[in-house]
Amino acid sequence: MTHDEFEEAVRATIATLPDWVQEAMHNVEVLILDEADDDLDPDGEGLLGLYTGVPLPERDANHAGELPDVIYLFRRPHLEMARSLDDLHAEIGRTLIHEVAHYFGMDDDHLDELGWG
């Protein structure tokens, strides 16, 4: 699947997510990379996605003017996991919800407890 086709799959998946996720994503840029480099994944974990920014609960009144928050989606790891287009959409959706949860201040332990780890 090409980068453009993957990008279209991401757009289509976003359109199917719950309204609260779509609303949250208006404040977050989604960028697609083939895979995480050493700067984004220094532990070599083989990430599907990554949220970078300041989670909402950690922001103070001086946060205005900061760079936008970003959710990175990594194309190759998603393609390696997916056996079908439906699987791909499901995994993209799961990754987006996981990363949006980080935007709302949830850590990985809490997400594991909720089944979104």
Side-chain angles (χ1 to χ4, degrees), residues 23-91:
E23 285 299 316
M25 294 181 71
H26 288 293
N27 300 316
V28 179
E29 184 75 26
V30 176
L31 299 177
I32 298 167
L33 300 176
D34 281 339
E35 55 196 338
D37 61 19
D38 291 340
D39 291 334
L40 294 174
D41 186 14
D43 297 328
E45 296 178 12
L47 300 174
L48 293 170
L50 178 69
Y51 164 76
T52 62
V54 178
L56 289 176
E58 296 177 20
R59 295 182 183 185
D60 59 24
N62 297 323
H63 186 74
E66 298 290 327
L67 292 173
D69 297 278
V70 176
I71 292 175
Y72 293 97
L73 291 177
F74 304 114
R75 184 178 69 93
R76 286 189 184 133
H78 276 90
L79 294 176
E80 289 170 7
M81 290 183 66
R83 296 179 186 196
S84 68
L85 190 54
D86 288 341
D87 285 349
L88 179 62
H89 284 280
E91 194 56 53

